[in-house]
């Protein structure tokens, strides 16, 4: 047995060594020089960039601020009392300095090009990227959210250094939220032989899927001379790198993709509950010489949507429990980081979400890889704008020339991800209600079907009656409605598909730990402190409360699920305070900008998480000036009933009431009189037995801090992150829920301070300075690992508080 394992290991190492010789990928993450401004001659190889900023990528040049209300102020027409008036929106794009030109330069690693080809691949560059090698323009790609690649072989010199320069430019009024700026996603070089699989040229589909067997179709598009004779060895491996299937064939390259079909018995099917993954590998031989090895990870699963079964994964109907996610990572800005992405997705999984919508833009490969691994279905979205402008300098400038190329790149880059279950060709485009808009929608959907016939296509529609009347909605594979819950029945009755998807739902607004009185449902409600109430009864003029969507999903079998706006607060679009300063980030999130759950998180968890119970009380029970006042108390729980106590005195035992919208999914005691002390809830199961209890205590004077890290062990790679939550507590360990305490952070050893965020949409404190005031008793600061193993020593200090320390390990 040991001998066999040794032989297998040796063979694997030998193939890996051989693979590196024929195909080599290099991430260009270090050694960049960066400078703001449009600098003449910066593309030239002999340009002197010694005084430029030295940075690593991914990089967002604007996230360090400062915040400024004058940045990208946009005038938008709004209707009040039937009259259209101009409205000045401050903070719409985050009040951060993303506008303008930025240059990036680096020297490419030396690599022999004898008989070789070189490509450069950008996972995203914000925006209007012009790429130069040795002073010559290689190519242009305007859309900042898309991945793209260029063949740079003709531009590389045989001797000496090769200089890569990238010019990026963000226009004012080009976005409705904070887009970020710079090389915010990875850049990499790919070296192959002349005969090789082209970038994104390997694809895997599973035309037949069942518990007993699956057909695996593997296709490869090659760069090779016509009539080239080759031998292809195709292999399928499991997650432990065990070879499951292999097939060898002699072929002649005729300019069309080569294809192999294999049958796997008893496959492990990919699903959110069991995200099983496989690896498909192809080896190309010219005679006995190995000329290329390419591989791709894939999953075996089947997606269908129809009137009979609704949304079906692997033959089983299910309601989509999804959230919309913007691409920024809060205090990190748009600069992508795997640890930060994974934290976001895990928080959503714990809530019970099984899907995300990449709103309103094309996702990063890293995000899709994580969704594959963690088990999150994805609606991969393409555009927020077509020909008709939402922003003066938005994507409308490029749509006619670039829309097809952008869609093709989106699909070819991401088509192997089993997590992606549908493509979205747009969001709330004005063409819904314009002549010819349906023809554009059909053209885009046809492109998706041509490039990938295995997935349905949708779009988020907000002009429902118009979209129905002009045959816009009827032609879509999946009719997606953004809000408009009052039009669901009409859409279902008039459209041919036989089902409706809530492509964007709720837009309930709240600020973590903020409670407003009186407690009642409001739309477009504002307050002098520019915060929204966490009783979760406030929405916007177009939007609604979570219950309205849940009633439709529970009572109408033809409603196939939802994507809530949004999983996390994001930079920019601070509705309902988009005309108020300071206000520079959203209030829509189920979690705040720091990633801390708001009360609404537990409302969704109580509905969505079927693996663990939820018992959550709100509000807090520390009110210095409200003794004797009425303070409504809510409980978010999956249990059917509960009893509330204040200092041991029962406030009543109540059950959820299916006949009442606000009492169907939450328990409410609306006449509780505040007394300092202990708020306690006792939950009962379906049999009336005590199931769980929870207490909230009135907090005393702040005396100390409590630290908790999402990860205590980091990787010594220079980019790994740990997110440390800091809570201000009293002498008994109770959270002080109204504490606004300035804190400072010291990080020593094998790591450094990265950023800090308190979740307050009105805070103008910079994220990159190691000090910040807590918001309602909490904040999150981020530590980044170094490239050396050892310990990270963290210290958090605040005036008149006992300092707190923590140690993290870097391995």
């Amino acid at each position: 047995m040991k001998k066999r394992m040794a032989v297998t290991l040796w063979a694997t190492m030998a193939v890996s060594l051989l693979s590196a010789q024929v195909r080599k990928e290099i991430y260009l993450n270090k050694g960049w020089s960066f400078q703001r401004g449009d600098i003449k001659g910066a593309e030239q190889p002999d340009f002197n960039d010694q005084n430029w900023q030295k940075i690593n990528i991914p990089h967002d040049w604007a996230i360090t601020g400062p915040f400024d209300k004058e940045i990208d102020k946009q005038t938008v027409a709004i209707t009040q009392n039937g009259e259209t008036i101009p409205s000045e929106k401050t903070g719409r794009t985050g009040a951060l300095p993303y506008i303008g030109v930025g240059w990036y330069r680096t020297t490419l690693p030396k690599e022999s090009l004898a008989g070789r080809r070189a490509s450069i691949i950008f996972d995203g560059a914000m925006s209007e990227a012009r790429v130069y090698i040795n002073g010559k323009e290689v190519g242009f790609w305007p859309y900042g959210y898309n991945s793209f690649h260029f063949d740079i072989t003709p531009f590389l010199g045989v001797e000496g250094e090769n200089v890569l320069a990238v010019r990026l430019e963000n226009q004012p009024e080009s976005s409705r939220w904070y887009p970020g700026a710079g090389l915010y996603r990875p850049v990499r070089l790919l070296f192959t032989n002349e005969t090789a699989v082209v970038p994104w040229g390997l694809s895997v589909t599973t035309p037949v899927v069942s518990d007993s067997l699956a057909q695996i179709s593997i296709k490869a598009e090659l760069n090779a001379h016509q009539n080239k004779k080759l031998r292809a060895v195709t292999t399928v491996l499991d997650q432990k790198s065990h070879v499951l299937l292999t097939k060898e064939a002699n072929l002649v390259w005729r300019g069309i993709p080569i294809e192999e079909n294999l049958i796997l018995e008893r496959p492990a099917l990919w699903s959110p509950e069991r995200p099983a993954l496989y690896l498909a590998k192809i080896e190309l031989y010219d005679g006995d010489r190995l000329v290329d090895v390419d591989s791709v990870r894939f999953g075996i699963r089947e997606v269908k949507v129809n009137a009979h079964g609704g949304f079906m994964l692997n033959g089983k109907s299910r309601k989509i429990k999804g959230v919309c996610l913007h691409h920024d990572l809060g205090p990190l800005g748009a600069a992508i980081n795997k640890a930060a992405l994974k934290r976001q997705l895990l928080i959503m999984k714990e809530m019970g979400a099984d899907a995300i919508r990449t709103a309103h833009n094309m996702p990063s490969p890293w995000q899709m890889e994580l969704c594959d691994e963690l088990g999150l279905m994805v609606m991969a979205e393409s555009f927020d704008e077509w020909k008709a402008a939402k922003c003066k300098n938005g994507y409308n400038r490029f749509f006619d020339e670039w829309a097809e190329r952008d869609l093709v790149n989106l699909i070819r880059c991401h088509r192997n991800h089993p997590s992606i279950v549908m493509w979205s060709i747009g969001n709330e485009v004005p063409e819904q209600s314009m002549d010819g808009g349906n023809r554009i929608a059909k053209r885009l959907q046809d492109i998706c079907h041509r490039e990938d016939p295995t997935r349905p296509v949708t779009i988020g529609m907000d002009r429902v009656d118009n979209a129905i009347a002009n045959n816009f909605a009827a032609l879509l594979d999946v009719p997606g409605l953004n809000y408009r819950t009052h039009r669901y029945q009409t859409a279902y009755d008039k459209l041919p598909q036989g089902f409706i998807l809530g492509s964007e739902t709720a837009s309930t607004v709240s600020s973590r730990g903020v409670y407003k009185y009186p407690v009642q449902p409001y739309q477009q409600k504002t307050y002098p402190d520019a915060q929204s109430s966490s009783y979760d009864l406030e929405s916007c003029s177009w939007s609604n409360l979570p219950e309205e969507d849940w009633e439709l999903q529970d009572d109408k079998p033809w409603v196939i699920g939802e994507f809530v706006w949004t999983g996390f607060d994001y930079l920019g679009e601070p509705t309902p305070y988009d005309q108020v300063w300071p206000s520079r980030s959203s209030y829509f999130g189920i979690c705040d900008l720091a990633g801390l759950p708001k009360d609404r998180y537990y409302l969704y968890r109580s509905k969505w998480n079927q693996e663990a119970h939820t018992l959550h009380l709100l509000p807090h029970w520390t009110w210095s000036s409200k003794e004797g006042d009425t303070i409504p108390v809510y409980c978010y729980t999956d249990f059917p009933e509960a009893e509330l106590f204040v200092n041991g005195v029962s406030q009543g035992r109540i059950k959820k009431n299916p006949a009442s919208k606000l009492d169907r999914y939450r328990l409410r005691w609306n006449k509780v009189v505040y007394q300092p002390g202990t708020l306690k809830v006792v939950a009962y199961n379906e049999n009336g037995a005590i199931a769980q209890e929870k207490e909230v205590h009135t907090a005393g004077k702040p005396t100390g801090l409590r630290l908790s890290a999402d990860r205590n062990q980091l990787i010594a790679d220079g980019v790994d992150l740990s997110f440390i939550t800091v809570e201000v507590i009293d002498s008994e360990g109770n959270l002080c829920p109204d504490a606004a305490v300035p804190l400072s952070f010291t990080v020593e050893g094998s790591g450094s301070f990265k950023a800090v965020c308190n979740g307050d949409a009105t805070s103008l404190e910079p994220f990159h300075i190691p000090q910040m005031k807590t918001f309602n008793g909490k904040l999150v600061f981020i530590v980044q690992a170094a490239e050396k193993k050892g310990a990270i020593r963290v210290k958090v200090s605040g005036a008149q508080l006992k300092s707190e320390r923590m140690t993290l390990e870097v391995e």
Side-chain angles (χ1 to χ4, degrees):
M1 183 66 179
K2 288 184 178 178
K3 182 178 180 181
R4 182 180 175 186
M5 287 178 63
V7 170
T8 303
L9 182 61
W10 179 88
T12 303
M13 291 173 61
V15 170
S16 298
L17 225 77
L18 209 52
S19 301
Q21 292 173 359
V22 297
R23 173 177 286 257
K24 186 174 184 179
E25 191 173 65
I26 304 170
Y27 275 85
L28 302 176
N29 57 333
K30 296 181 180 180
W32 288 84
S33 298
F34 167 74
Q35 186 65 42
R36 289 289 305 273
D38 202 1
I39 302 164
K40 185 176 181 181
E43 77 278 9
Q44 296 301 323
D46 57 355
F47 181 86
N48 185 354
D49 60 14
Q50 292 302 306
N51 294 325
W52 286 19
Q53 183 182 355
K54 307 308 175 187
I55 56 102
N56 294 335
I57 63 168
H59 175 245
D60 180 351
W61 80 54
I63 190 58
T64 55
F67 296 105
D68 185 343
K69 69 174 293 187
E70 299 303 316
I71 295 175
D72 207 25
K73 283 199 301 190
Q74 298 183 24
T75 301
V76 179
I78 63 171
T79 302
Q80 287 185 349
N81 301 321
E83 182 182 359
T84 300
I85 60 174
S87 166
E88 184 180 81
K89 290 179 178 282
T90 57
R92 193 185 198 203
T93 49
L96 288 165
Y98 80 97
I99 297 167
V101 175
W103 278 93
Y104 292 82
R105 287 170 53 88
T106 192
T107 300
L108 300 180
K110 293 182 179 179
E111 183 79 13
S112 172
L113 285 176
R116 306 274 277 167
R117 300 203 70 81
S119 297
I120 190 162
I121 304 170
F122 292 80
D123 285 354
M126 191 63 69
S127 58
E128 301 186 38
R130 293 193 180 275
V131 180
Y132 301 86
I133 299 287
N134 297 329
K136 296 181 179 178
E137 185 169 336
V138 173
F140 170 68
W141 204 279
Y143 194 28
Y145 291 108
N146 209 347
S147 300
F148 58 94
H149 59 86
F150 299 123
D151 182 351
I152 60 172
T153 311
F155 299 88
L156 296 177
V158 177
E159 297 180 357
E161 294 183 335
N162 290 291
V163 175
L164 166 65
V166 183
R167 181 190 186 274
L168 301 173
E169 182 172 10
N170 287 335
Q171 300 285 344
E173 296 190 51
S174 58
S175 181
R176 297 190 300 119
W177 56 84
Y178 176 67
L183 292 178
Y184 72 108
R185 291 178 181 170
V187 180
R188 58 194 187 275
L189 278 175
L190 175 65
F191 292 99
T192 66
N193 287 320
E194 287 286 355
T195 297
V197 179
V198 301
W200 308 338
L202 185 59
S203 66
V204 182
T205 56
T206 52
V208 177
V209 174
S210 71
D211 292 330
S212 57
L213 65 84
Q215 177 188 341
I216 302 170
S217 177
I218 302 171
K219 294 182 180 180
E221 183 179 348
L222 308 184
N223 180 57
H225 296 299
Q226 286 284 352
N227 302 316
K228 180 78 172 179
K229 293 181 179 180
L230 298 167
R231 178 165 56 93
V233 179
T234 308
T235 307
V236 173
L237 303 91
D238 66 13
Q239 293 185 84
K240 296 181 179 179
S241 298
H242 297 142
V243 174
L244 303 178
L245 302 168
T246 188
K247 192 171 183 180
E248 184 173 333
N250 293 312
L251 57 95
V252 178
W253 172 247
R254 305 288 190 190
I256 59 174
I258 61 175
E259 180 176 1
E260 287 289 4
N261 288 281
L262 302 95
I263 302 296
L264 179 64
E265 295 182 351
R266 297 183 297 279
L269 304 186
W270 187 94
S271 70
E273 294 72 31
R274 188 187 179 191
L277 296 169
Y278 294 89
L279 188 77
K281 182 176 67 173
I282 185 168
E283 298 166 89
L284 296 176
Y285 292 85
D286 185 350
D288 292 329
R289 184 171 71 94
L290 180 67
V291 293
D292 195 25
V293 179
D294 196 10
S295 62
V296 66
R297 197 170 61 171
F298 71 99
I300 298 171
R301 57 104 183 94
E302 179 188 60
V303 173
K304 287 185 178 179
V305 188
N306 59 43
H308 174 70
F311 176 80
M312 294 174 287
L313 183 69
N314 301 328
K316 297 178 181 178
S317 297
R318 60 190 296 158
K319 301 270 186 173
I320 296 170
K321 300 179 293 186
V323 297
C324 301
L325 293 184
H326 260 316
H327 74 299
D328 79 62
L329 295 169
L332 301 175
I336 198 167
N337 178 280
K338 273 191 176 180
L341 280 172
K342 188 172 184 178
R343 172 180 179 256
Q344 277 198 343
L345 297 175
L346 285 173
I347 290 171
M348 292 295 98
K349 283 281 287 188
E350 166 61 20
M351 185 177 70
D354 63 8
I356 68 165
R357 173 191 182 208
T358 67
H360 301 295
N361 48 264
M362 298 178 178
S364 72
W366 281 0
Q367 186 181 34
M368 295 302 92
E369 289 170 10
L370 286 168
C371 288
D372 291 344
E373 295 169 9
L374 298 175
L376 281 160
M377 300 182 293
V378 176
M379 178 203 291
E381 196 149 270
S382 52
F383 310 117
D384 185 53
E385 223 177 57
W386 290 354
K387 292 167 67 73
K390 293 183 185 179
C391 299
K392 181 175 69 174
N393 294 316
Y395 189 74
N396 64 88
R397 295 178 294 142
F398 305 109
F399 182 84
D400 284 337
E401 181 181 355
W402 287 91
E404 179 167 0
R405 280 187 274 184
D406 276 319
L407 269 182
V408 168
N409 271 26
L410 168 71
I411 294 169
R412 292 189 183 180
C413 177
H414 295 293
R415 58 188 168 184
N416 293 310
H417 294 292
S419 56
I420 297 179
V421 297
M422 65 181 76
W423 306 109
S424 169
I425 53 175
N427 170 68
E428 297 180 1
V429 294
E431 283 86 346
Q432 297 166 82
S433 51
M434 296 169 62
D435 289 341
N438 57 352
R439 290 193 294 273
I440 298 175
K442 185 178 186 307
R443 180 169 72 89
L444 297 178
Q445 182 169 260
D446 286 347
I447 292 169
C448 293
H449 289 164
R450 181 194 74 204
E451 294 296 318
D452 175 22
T454 72
R455 292 178 176 92
V457 177
T458 188
I459 189 172
M461 296 177 288
D462 62 335
R463 307 180 187 189
V464 180
D465 292 334
N466 291 339
I468 293 171
N470 69 8
N471 202 35
F472 186 100
L475 63 86
L476 297 165
D477 297 335
V478 177
L481 268 58
N482 287 7
Y483 316 104
R484 310 299 184 263
T485 52
H486 61 289
R487 306 305 291 161
Y488 270 45
Q489 187 68 53
T490 297
Y492 171 70
D493 291 340
K494 292 186 176 182
L495 292 177
Q497 293 93 337
F499 57 88
I500 298 293
L501 170 66
S503 45
E504 188 173 318
T505 64
S507 272
T508 308
V509 292
S510 61
S511 303
R512 176 184 52 76
V514 173
Y515 305 94
K516 302 293 188 179
Y517 302 95
V519 178
Q520 63 186 66
Y522 289 109
Q523 282 194 316
Q524 214 67 22
K525 179 70 172 176
T526 58
Y527 303 92
D529 62 356
Q531 305 291 351
S532 296
S533 178
S534 267
Y535 276 103
D536 302 320
L537 293 178
E538 297 180 5
S539 57
C540 297
S541 58
W542 69 87
S543 60
N544 54 266
L545 304 183
E547 284 87 347
E548 294 180 45
D549 295 298
W550 290 346
E551 285 183 327
L552 285 164
Q553 293 159 35
D554 289 348
D555 298 343
K556 308 292 185 183
W558 41 267
V559 178
I560 66 172
E562 68 173 322
F563 289 90
V564 182
W565 192 264
T566 54
F568 293 82
D569 282 339
Y570 54 93
L571 291 163
E573 207 172 23
T575 313
Y577 295 105
D578 50 8
Q579 300 174 66
V580 176
W581 185 258
S583 190
R584 45 68 172 156
S585 57
S586 83
Y587 300 77
F588 297 117
I590 295 171
C591 297
D592 70 16
L593 196 70
L596 293 170
K598 303 179 185 178
D599 291 295
R600 194 158 16 111
Y601 178 91
Y602 300 98
L603 181 60
Y604 279 96
R605 190 182 190 276
S606 70
K607 182 75 165 65
W608 283 358
N609 189 326
Q610 305 299 314
E611 304 301 320
H613 291 297
T614 300
L615 189 61
H616 178 75
L617 275 177
L618 65 138
H620 59 76
W621 210 238
T622 304
W623 302 96
S624 59
S625 61
K626 289 187 177 292
E627 192 164 352
D629 289 356
T630 298
I631 301 288
V633 175
Y634 288 9
C635 177
Y636 297 159
T637 182
D638 59 306
F639 294 112
E641 62 178 313
E643 186 172 10
L644 184 72
F645 299 86
V646 175
N647 296 332
V649 178
S650 176
Q651 307 298 302
R653 178 169 168 174
I654 60 176
K655 294 183 178 181
K656 292 178 181 175
N657 180 7
S660 167
K661 179 174 70 175
L662 289 182
D663 298 300
R664 182 172 178 177
Y665 301 103
R666 42 180 137 184
L667 298 171
R668 301 189 299 155
W669 293 264
N670 288 315
K671 297 182 180 180
V672 180
V673 176
Y674 176 69
Q675 297 175 1
T678 299
L679 189 67
K680 177 181 177 180
V681 67
V682 178
Y684 299 89
N685 63 21
E686 292 80 359
N687 300 319
I690 294 177
Q692 275 189 19
E693 299 180 1
K694 186 162 190 176
E695 294 183 356
V696 177
H697 302 279
T698 302
K701 181 181 178 181
T703 59
L705 301 167
R706 181 165 53 228
L707 276 56
S708 57
D710 72 325
R711 299 167 63 223
N712 291 298
Q713 291 185 331
L714 285 76
I715 301 169
D717 60 3
V719 295
D720 202 10
L721 301 176
S722 179
F723 290 75
I724 301 174
T725 299
V726 182
E727 298 175 286
V728 180
I729 57 175
D730 67 9
S731 60
E732 301 296 321
N734 298 307
L735 173 71
C736 298
D738 56 355
V741 181
L743 301 178
S744 59
F745 313 95
T746 303
V747 181
E748 297 176 335
S750 298
S752 58
F753 171 87
K754 180 66 176 177
V756 60
C757 182
N758 61 14
D760 179 4
T762 69
S763 172
L764 301 182
E765 295 179 90
F767 301 127
H768 67 292
I769 303 298
Q771 59 188 43
M772 186 170 282
K773 184 186 297 183
T774 58
F775 178 59
N776 293 326
K778 296 182 181 181
L779 56 70
V780 173
F781 78 99
I782 307 169
V783 173
Q784 184 167 14
E787 292 185 323
K788 61 179 181 178
K789 295 181 180 181
I792 301 176
R793 296 177 297 280
V794 170
K795 179 182 176 182
V796 185
S797 304
Q800 299 181 336
L801 297 176
K802 181 183 177 182
S803 298
E804 193 66 26
R805 291 172 170 81
M806 171 179 279
T807 300
L808 309 175
E809 297 298 324
V810 179
E811 300 177 343

